[in-house]
Amino acid sequence: MNTRYENIPKKEKGAWVVHHSQKTASTQNASAEFPAIDAAGKASSLLSRFAANEELLIPKKRVDAFAQAAGLNPKTELVSLLAMLKRRRVIDTSQNGDVVALGLTTGVTVQHACDIFEEQDPTAEERAAIVLADVASVSPVMQKESIELIADEFSLSSRRVGELLERSELIGFVDAEAVDGSRMYFNGNLFRRDNINKVSRVLGSLSQADHTKVAELDAVLQKKGCVTLPEAERLLGTALFDKLRAASMYDVNHVMNASGEHGFVTRPAAFHKFNDPMVDDAFDLAKALVAALTYGMTLRSQGTGRIGSIAALLRSLISGREIGPATAIGEDYRVLETKGVIQTRPGTQYGYLMKLLKKDIGEMALAVFTTGEVASSAALDRPFEGNMSGFAGPEQTRDTFRRKRQTPESKKMTRDVLSALRTGGTF
């Protein structure tokens, strides 16, 4: 009989490795405690930046830039990570440091993350951390149930399991709320699976007035695909929105420029109508592309490269054609360039030209835009004009929100939502 760990598909297992490695990278000593997760996550993050539709030659200068963008030290970590990828035969390296990368999709990249993780001889705690996150993404799970599951499957003592749960919560492998003297674990992928049934349960737990507000916001999101954060808070009221956001029913993505951060709200299901939700979220590539294009449609002036027909633009990119020149290309897509999604070059007379390197990410963005699942040209306000200098996906913004903004009353309301999602404690 297969174990819970063995039953997790390779793509999802790899996505959890990437997710967990992003958490260990931002927590002191966590990389040393979970070394297989750390190494595999960093290697796959680097591979994600190298990977394109076709075999690609990447000069050493760009290899170093990718490493720095991934938060890696080019002097100490890069050599060992390149060696890991070379052993898997997904890249080759030259004597001068150039890299040749095979054509890979995002889905294949996260499968390599899983394989690299297994090659690193992971500890029982590292495998258990993946199982815990996977269980908590299906339904909120209580501490007692978690201890029993992990202790049985991995033959760990109650003390070791208890320490793992504490560290998992601190590092961010899972979220937790206090419930009746115990802990309830969940994570941001709750509404990426079985979304319709879970939303129905939440709505059943709300008052009629709150139910009406949620229905109103969802109707707007069905039509526009996304709304500004202030608009969502206006429709639901700040308290109700905070409650549902903390429980992951809504995603908030932030676009940054010189004037600050500007949030917009989407439904988790918006990016997963045609794709595996866990794989898509591993690197947030589609969300970053959609954010940059939405910015170009709504916050750019006509003279600097405002996007008119998003469908025509994306179809040109997906077909392999170079688009431009435009000033905006050199200013608004830097985040996508550091993630290896697009490549730009200066135009002969002005502006920049852009080429799509990851066809699968472009196809996903096109599907989302053309089925009403993402912002139309009227979806965002136009508060400023300037370069898009950054992007923060829903996992990052939700972490910050839960730490800094949630009030005790909001936390209690979130617990009510999580309780409504519980399935009787069964796995």
Side-chain angles (χ1 to χ4, degrees):
M1 180 176 172
N2 289 344
T3 64
R4 178 90 192 195
Y5 180 79
E6 291 169 338
N7 282 333
I8 300 174
K10 182 183 282 191
K11 283 185 180 181
E12 293 188 10
K13 204 176 292 181
W16 283 125
V17 169
V18 173
H19 173 274
H20 284 9
S21 71
Q22 291 168 350
K23 301 295 185 178
T24 59
S26 59
T27 306
Q28 189 172 8
N29 296 328
S31 297
E33 291 180 74
F34 300 90
I37 285 174
D38 181 65
K42 286 177 176 176
S44 60
S45 179
L46 192 60
L47 180 60
S48 172
R49 286 169 163 79
F50 291 162
N53 306 337
E54 303 168 351
E55 186 174 293
L56 194 65
L57 172 64
I58 306 165
K60 183 182 186 306
K61 184 176 180 181
R62 197 158 181 238
V63 171
D64 290 344
F66 276 145
Q68 290 175 324
L72 307 175
N73 186 327
K75 301 295 184 184
T76 59
E77 295 180 292
L78 182 57
V79 173
S80 63
L81 295 173
L82 289 175
M84 287 182 197
L85 298 176
K86 193 171 181 178
R87 283 197 300 272
R88 295 209 57 76
R89 299 181 180 179
V90 291
I91 68 165
D92 200 2
T93 56
S94 67
Q95 287 188 338
N96 65 1
D98 294 346
V99 167
V100 175
L102 298 182
L104 298 172
T105 64
T106 305
V108 174
T109 300
V110 294
Q111 289 189 61
H112 283 294
C114 176
D115 291 335
I116 295 170
F117 174 66
E118 295 295 348
E119 288 173 358
Q120 301 303 304
D121 192 21
T123 63
E125 278 86 352
E126 288 182 296
R127 289 192 173 101
I130 290 174
V131 169
L132 175 63
D134 194 64
V135 168
S137 72
V138 176
S139 170
V141 58
M142 296 303 297
Q143 186 176 38
K144 181 176 182 293
E145 298 162 349
S146 303
I147 291 173
E148 291 173 354
L149 173 69
I150 292 171
D152 288 346
E153 178 159 335
F154 297 97
S155 300
L156 294 174
S157 66
S158 295
R159 178 186 61 80
R160 287 176 67 182
V161 177
E163 290 173 353
L164 172 64
L165 293 178
E166 287 181 12
R167 292 300 289 161
S168 295
E169 181 180 341
L170 178 65
I171 295 169
F173 295 160
V174 290
D175 294 319
E177 288 290 350
V179 178
D180 298 329
S182 185
R183 307 293 285 170
M184 180 191 290
Y185 302 109
F186 68 104
N187 62 40
N189 286 283
L190 272 176
F191 287 90
R192 285 148 178 62
R193 293 168 159 171
D194 194 22
N195 181 65
I196 295 174
N197 289 336
K198 289 175 181 176
V199 170
S200 296
R201 284 190 203 138
V202 171
L203 293 178
S205 73
L206 300 177
S207 68
Q208 186 57 49
D210 286 348
H211 190 297
T212 300
K213 292 177 184 176
V214 171
E216 184 179 359
L217 175 57
D218 281 356
V220 175
L221 288 171
Q222 286 276 6
K223 180 180 179 181
K224 293 184 177 181
C226 93
V227 298
T228 60
L229 179 57
E231 174 70 359
E233 291 177 331
R234 183 188 68 78
L235 289 171
L236 292 189
T238 301
L240 178 58
F241 180 74
D242 286 354
K243 163 185 175 177
L244 299 176
R245 176 186 179 184
S248 305
M249 188 165 164
Y250 297 108
D251 281 344
V252 178
N253 303 272
H254 278 176
V255 168
M256 284 83 82
N257 84 333
S259 69
E261 296 191 13
H262 305 266
F264 59 92
V265 178
T266 58
R267 295 173 299 156
F271 289 85
H272 307 310
K273 192 169 184 178
F274 306 98
N275 297 273
D276 185 320
M278 291 300 301
V279 173
D280 296 336
D281 280 346
F283 301 106
D284 272 340
L285 300 182
K287 289 186 179 71
L289 178 58
V290 165
L293 294 172
T294 300
Y295 185 94
M297 286 191 295
T298 60
L299 300 174
R300 266 288 168 188
S301 65
Q302 198 69 43
T304 58
R306 184 169 176 178
I307 298 171
S309 172
I310 185 64
L313 180 144
L314 275 169
R315 289 190 179 101
S316 293
L317 287 171
I318 291 167
S319 70
R321 292 200 293 273
E322 203 172 39
I323 65 167
T327 302
I329 289 175
E331 298 176 347
D332 296 348
Y333 297 88
R334 294 169 185 168
V335 174
L336 277 298
E337 195 155 17
T338 65
K339 290 177 179 285
V341 177
I342 59 102
Q343 188 171 13
T344 66
R345 66 179 180 87
T348 54
Q349 295 182 327
Y350 75 97
Y352 281 77
L353 297 143
M354 177 170 71
K355 184 175 182 179
L356 180 69
L357 298 180
K358 299 187 191 301
K359 182 179 178 180
D360 58 322
I361 299 301
E363 288 174 338
M364 182 178 172
L366 177 62
V368 170
F369 274 113
T370 55
T371 54
E373 293 287 349
V374 154
S376 66
S377 61
L380 293 178
D381 296 332
R382 301 190 179 110
F384 60 93
E385 174 72 35
N387 305 346
M388 176 182 162
S389 58
F391 166 79
E395 182 75 9
Q396 181 181 345
T397 60
R398 196 173 61 87
D399 280 353
T400 303
F401 161 75
R402 283 179 59 80
R403 286 197 309 269
K404 296 182 179 180
R405 261 195 56 189
Q406 262 207 297
T407 64
E409 180 182 1
S410 175
K411 283 179 174 289
K412 179 183 179 301
M413 295 168 73
T414 297
R415 288 196 294 273
D416 295 340
V417 174
L418 296 172
S419 295
L421 292 174
R422 299 250 307 130
T423 59
T426 60
F427 301 113

